[in-house]
Amino acid sequence: MSSEREAEKAAFLASAGFGDARRAPFDGDASTRVFERLRLADGSTRFFMDQPPALESVVCPPGAGDAERMALGYNAAARLAGGSVAAFVTAAAWLRARGLSAPRIDAFDAELGLVVLEDLGDGLFASLIGAGQDERPLYEAAVDAQVVMQSEPPPAVLSHAGLSWPLLTYDTLALKVATDTFLEFWPPFAGLPPFGDAAVAEWDVLWAPVWVRGEAGAGVFTHRDFHARNLLWLPARTGAARVGMVDFQDALRAHPAWDLLHLLQDARRDVAPELEAAMLDRFLAARPELDRAAFLADYRALAASNAARILGRVFARQALLGRAQYEAYMPRTWRYLERNLQDPALLGLRAWFDRHVPPEARR
């Protein structure tokens, strides 16, 4: 870290009343964010997030057309927030206003990319389940939290404390560019030749109805990365507020299946098919206005698209950058993809993978 950045951080903390806090590094993720845990004199703790804006590419301007988004880069095309503090702060405020447990924001400087936020503890769902805690009550509460998130139409713009952020739609282009990263990153990772023009053209034709259905159903607030490593158990709270949420800055207006498939087809931990089925039943019982057959068809199709995205953009890309730990998650994600492609409506996509990605290249 540069001395200039450290001086900015120290000045920000001092001005926000946290200058005397003890700072300790905290393990983050594969993003450009850096976290520290602050320990205050009264014994309480906070998190300190450092997201230098210059480290991310340009985000999607509201109203931008497809060509403009593609020219601006992946963040704009896929409608990612690019680490925006405005996105994080306004999404947190929207969730908290609905009684959900996003972190309270104690101080922020959107221009500098600095935030002090509530410490929701260390009770990650994934860690608790790994230590032997019964997973079913956690997943039930997480499904109930999704129902609350989806209980009212989201606004076009999120706003809080002078900040605003457009809540854009997870549209056909965003779904396409995300899924297409499989074409870009899987062949060099798996030692396959690049996919030919005919294979790519067929890919586009086969996936297009999935992406169109994803956009057509996009009507609810969506966390976008709702899984066991981004959820914290808060048993002292009640109802859906027992589910602490982080990493929601990329929130969009999306299909109601989107957060559910992230939770129940978790790329980083096994979710038993029986638990997945039970949670789908729980969700649909709470959303009786949804057509069950149509929803489940969309769930499987979008989950297949997401699995392809994860295999390409997240895992293969990271492995090519030398982060071999991501390879451990690949077999599970392939199992999800192959299971989703058993849907008769997706047999064309199943045949595409069988022709172009042999079993030995699925690892």
Side-chain angles (χ1 to χ4, degrees), residues 102-127:
R104 182 189 67 252
I105 305 300
D106 287 341
F108 67 85
D109 186 316
E111 186 174 335
L112 287 177
L114 300 172
V115 185
V116 174
L117 57 145
E118 180 183 9
D119 183 353
L120 295 178
D122 296 313
L124 287 175
F125 277 30
S127 299

Side-chain angles (χ1 to χ4, degrees), residues 6-347:
E6 178 55 35
E8 290 175 339
K9 292 170 69 172
F12 166 77
L13 289 172
S15 66
F18 298 100
D20 294 332
R22 289 187 290 116
R23 297 164 56 183
F26 187 85
D27 289 339
D29 52 22
S31 74
T32 55
R33 289 168 295 175
V34 176
F35 288 92
E36 297 175 71
R37 182 167 259 154
L38 305 179
R39 299 192 179 277
L40 280 60
D42 63 3
S44 65
T45 60
R46 304 288 191 278
F47 271 119
F48 182 28
M49 184 173 76
D50 176 8
Q51 172 61 79
L55 295 183
E56 292 278 359
S57 62
V58 178
V59 298
C60 181
D66 289 0
E68 181 183 355
R69 287 163 62 186
M70 292 297 290
L72 288 172
Y74 185 81
N75 277 352
R79 289 186 161 166
L80 293 167
S84 167
V85 163
F88 185 88
V89 169
T90 58
W94 191 89
L95 290 166
R96 287 178 58 81
R98 274 130 202 95
L100 296 168
S101 291
R104 182 189 67 252
I105 305 300
D106 287 341
F108 67 85
D109 186 316
E111 186 174 335
L112 287 177
L114 300 172
V115 185
V116 174
L117 57 145
E118 180 183 9
D119 183 353
L120 295 178
D122 296 313
L124 287 175
F125 277 30
S127 299
L128 295 175
I129 295 167
Q133 185 161 330
D134 184 3
E135 64 184 352
R136 186 168 181 127
L138 304 184
Y139 276 82
E140 289 176 345
V143 169
D144 295 347
Q146 287 191 25
V147 172
V148 173
M149 276 199 295
Q150 298 184 14
S151 63
E152 62 183 274
V157 178
L158 302 173
S159 59
H160 178 71
L163 297 180
S164 63
W165 185 258
L167 193 69
L168 301 177
T169 297
Y170 208 167
D171 65 358
T172 299
L173 178 62
L175 288 162
K176 172 179 167 52
V177 297
T179 313
D180 283 357
T181 59
F182 180 89
L183 302 177
E184 179 180 358
F185 294 109
W186 196 258
F189 168 76
L192 295 173
F195 298 116
D197 291 345
V200 172
E202 184 185 12
W203 169 279
D204 285 343
V205 170
L206 291 168
W207 279 116
V210 175
W211 301 328
V212 169
R213 282 156 55 194
E215 179 176 351
V220 300
F221 183 98
T222 300
H223 179 296
R224 198 175 183 175
D225 207 13
F226 194 98
H227 57 74
R229 290 196 178 184
N230 282 337
L231 304 175
L232 298 110
W233 188 234
L234 306 172
R237 302 185 186 186
T238 60
R242 293 174 297 169
V243 181
M245 303 179 194
V246 296
D247 214 10
F248 43 73
Q249 65 281 342
D250 290 319
L252 290 174
R253 180 191 305 265
H255 192 288
W258 195 253
D259 280 342
L260 204 58
L261 67 89
H262 274 272
L263 178 69
L264 302 178
Q265 295 196 9
D266 191 329
R268 292 171 174 81
R269 70 172 307 271
D270 290 323
V271 177
E274 297 79 13
L275 180 61
E276 179 184 18
M279 294 305 100
L280 285 166
D281 287 345
R282 185 182 184 90
F283 177 83
L284 288 165
R287 297 288 311 277
E289 72 280 9
L290 296 174
D291 180 278
R292 180 183 177 89
F295 178 86
L296 291 176
D298 286 352
Y299 172 89
R300 289 187 290 268
L302 291 170
S305 175
N306 188 54
R309 174 191 71 87
I310 291 172
L311 286 167
R313 175 75 183 180
V314 183
F315 294 161
R317 174 172 167 266
Q318 293 291 344
L320 289 167
L321 292 171
R323 297 169 181 149
Q325 67 268 29
Y326 288 90
E327 296 183 36
Y329 307 129
M330 292 176 178
R332 179 184 298 110
T333 309
W334 273 110
R335 290 195 296 272
Y336 289 140
L337 176 57
E338 290 164 355
R339 193 170 80 206
N340 291 318
L341 294 179
Q342 296 302 311
D343 188 316
L346 303 176
L347 288 181

